[in-house]
Amino acid sequence: MKNKSGGIENLIRRMLKKHSSPLMLIQEDVLERQFRAFRKALPEVTPYYAIKANPYPGIIKKFIELGAGFDVASANEMNVVLELGASHDKIIFANTIKSHEDMRSACKKKVKLMTFDNESELYKIAKACPGAKVIIRIKVANIGSIVELSLKFGADPEQSISLLKKARSLGLKPMGVSFHVGSQCTNSENYLQALEVSSVIFNEAKQSGIFLNILDIGGGFPIKHFDADNHLTFERMASQIRKKLQRLFDKNVKFIAEPGRFFAGPAGILVTQVIGRAFRNNKNYYYLNDGLYGDFSGIVFDHCKYEFKTLKRGQRFLSTLAGPTCDSFDTISLSEDLSELDVGNVVYVKNIGAYSCASAVPNFNGFKPAKIVMC
Ligand SMILES: *Cc1c(COP(=O)(O)O)cnc(C)c1O
């Protein structure tokens, strides 16, 4: 334990000699560790990395090398993974609402596996990409997940047979079922119920002469954000999922998943420095060189809470952390227990590789997000 945090602190000191902050360190060995943990816990499931979590090219390259597929949501994301060397048949266009232009370019690049959740989209797909392989995304419970996705996506399971028949009648190839239990899902019931519902659809489809053979269990797999988080449910969750997959689905069904956070989150360490301090409202205010418009954007968009650490030790005081921009909204945390910091001191956060730099604004107020360094 103590070596571990010492290791990270040494790494931070070393990297700060070579690069200036803010710095997003991406630990390549952790990307690999996460990939292997996933493969070990769910050996029958092929992971398609959801690049929206972190589309940094070095990360995508690493996952190509490890043999992952990719989940993309736009033609731009698709082009990024193709240009880095991903194979067209290991890409799923997993946005249920796609523009005509994006689907045309997917079709031209032979990326023909895509999701949908409504009838209007089927007509669009049939026109833009005749003969595409389609997967119906169903609406499932997102109970207890930090980021709720069922409010915006998913067909009612009861409609899925008629939608799959519609797909067939439009000349598309109905291939399977997908769902997303919500991001940072710590409630395995969401997956287990979704699997039950999916298996009913597989069986009913078969009775209508539609033979589905892809089950896409989506993303949502949770990670630790705080050292003291001990839910660490991934392995337990995965073993429950695995048992159900084996029990409910035929041998010929191909399983895929779309992990984003689980693959990229633990690999990222954000290193910032204090650029100014003040005493206000009876508290120390520390202004960091990264904020909500930058790599802490996950506080807004990902509803994420982070554990802030310093290299400096000493008595802790209630403190506020703020970003560098002239917007008071750019306040990172109003109450952190931190040792007293001076200008130049480091504040860092672990497990921040997903939904951080990915959603940072390039240059608000002239402040750029962290430089990304693979290490
Ligand atoms: C965001 C997203 C993912 C990745 O979700 P995580 O919770 O990061 O694993 C996977 N699939 C779809 C369709 C998504 O929108």
Side-chain angles (χ1 to χ4, degrees):
M1 286 291 270
K2 97 180 136 216
N3 281 342
K4 220 170 171 184
S5 109
I8 282 181
E9 299 197 348
N10 286 336
L11 172 70
I12 292 172
R13 287 193 187 91
R14 239 182 16 253
M15 296 312 278
L16 280 177
K17 285 191 184 131
K18 286 193 255 174
H19 310 276
S20 55
S21 74
L23 254 188
M24 177 66 80
L25 302 175
I26 301 290
Q27 304 163 93
E28 223 172 316
D29 59 333
V30 179
L31 295 174
E32 185 157 346
R33 184 191 79 199
Q34 292 302 102
F35 179 85
R36 302 222 182 276
F38 190 94
R39 297 294 321 193
K40 184 163 178 230
L42 290 167
E44 296 83 7
V45 181
T46 308
Y48 282 50
Y49 173 52
I51 77 161
K52 83 166 184 289
N54 193 328
Y56 186 68
I59 297 178
I60 294 171
K61 273 192 221 150
K62 183 74 189 178
F63 287 129
I64 290 175
E65 192 186 304
L66 289 168
F70 294 92
D71 160 348
V72 301
S74 61
N76 284 336
E77 281 194 346
M78 175 188 74
N79 290 333
V80 167
V81 300
L82 285 172
E83 272 157 30
L84 290 168
S87 158
H88 65 89
D89 55 11
K90 287 191 87 175
I91 297 176
I92 179 167
F93 199 161
N95 187 340
T96 61
I97 310 291
K98 299 164 286 299
S99 74
H100 178 77
E101 294 71 26
D102 276 15
M103 280 192 278
R104 283 300 304 146
S105 52
C107 201
K108 278 194 202 125
K109 306 244 162 107
K110 300 204 202 98
V111 173
K112 293 206 170 175
L113 186 61
M114 46 188 86
T115 62
F116 75 99
D117 63 7
N118 68 87
E119 184 170 331
S120 156
E121 188 75 7
L122 284 175
Y123 286 101
K124 283 164 57 196
I125 299 174
K127 192 163 168 220
C129 192
K133 299 176 182 170
V134 293
I135 292 188
I136 186 162
R137 174 152 167 197
I138 56 166
K139 186 171 175 169
V140 298
N142 279 205
I143 299 161
S145 300
I146 302 294
V147 184
E148 164 86 38
L149 292 169
S150 59
L151 299 172
K152 188 170 164 190
F153 298 110
D156 276 331
E158 302 81 67
Q159 296 172 348
S160 33
I161 299 300
S162 72
L163 285 168
L164 290 166
K165 283 186 186 159
K166 186 79 199 180
R168 183 176 57 183
S169 76
L170 291 170
L172 300 171
K173 298 188 185 75
M175 300 298 289
V177 174
S178 77
F179 55 80
H180 198 303
V181 295
S183 201
Q184 184 69 5
C185 169
T186 49
N187 175 9
S188 35
E189 272 311 305
N190 288 339
Y191 285 103
L192 304 180
Q193 276 176 27
L195 294 177
E196 295 281 350
V197 174
S198 302
S199 89
V200 171
I201 297 171
F202 269 65
N203 292 332
E204 285 180 2
K206 198 189 286 173
Q207 285 158 23
S208 305
I210 297 176
F211 300 96
L212 301 177
N213 60 8
I214 299 180
L215 176 69
D216 174 356
I217 65 173
F221 308 97
I223 63 166
K224 264 170 91 135
H225 280 285
F226 284 71
D227 286 346
D229 282 348
N230 50 15
H231 56 261
L232 206 85
T233 46
F234 173 72
E235 268 79 16
R236 203 180 328 135
M237 193 178 241
S239 101
Q240 292 173 312
I241 293 172
R242 189 175 182 207
K243 282 195 201 111
K244 252 221 188 337
L245 290 177
Q246 287 167 340
R247 193 153 54 73
L248 292 176
F249 295 90
D250 289 347
K251 287 275 168 297
N252 66 330
V253 175
K254 193 181 157 223
F255 302 117
I256 67 180
E258 303 164 348
R261 183 189 311 276
F262 187 78
F263 273 14
I269 305 170
L270 179 64
V271 183
T272 72
Q273 282 174 293
V274 175
I275 53 168
R277 57 176 293 191
F279 193 76
R280 294 183 213 290
N281 309 324
N282 270 322
K283 278 188 292 190
N284 283 318
Y285 270 61
Y286 300 114
Y287 296 82
L288 306 181
N289 53 5
D290 204 344
L292 292 201
Y293 288 91
D295 297 82
F296 290 115
S297 61
I299 293 174
V300 183
F301 299 118
D302 191 36
H303 315 283
C304 198
K305 295 198 168 52
Y306 300 114
E307 182 164 5
F308 299 91
K309 299 190 171 215
T310 58
L311 298 182
K312 212 175 150 192
R313 305 281 178 259
Q315 194 189 342
R316 290 161 175 256
F317 302 93
L318 187 67
S319 317
T320 285
L321 293 174
T325 68
C326 292
D327 181 354
S328 58
F329 177 70
D330 188 8
T331 302
I332 301 164
S333 172
L334 284 171
S335 55
E336 292 296 321
D337 256 342
L338 298 174
S339 10
E340 190 169 0
L341 299 174
D342 284 314
V343 171
N345 284 163
V346 167
V347 176
Y348 71 95
V349 171
K350 298 190 295 183
N351 303 313
I352 190 175
Y355 307 116
S356 50
C357 36
S359 48
V361 174
N363 201 15
F364 180 59
N365 245 189
F367 295 102
K368 291 189 174 33
K371 175 174 176 192
I372 303 175
V373 177
M374 303 272 294
C375 60

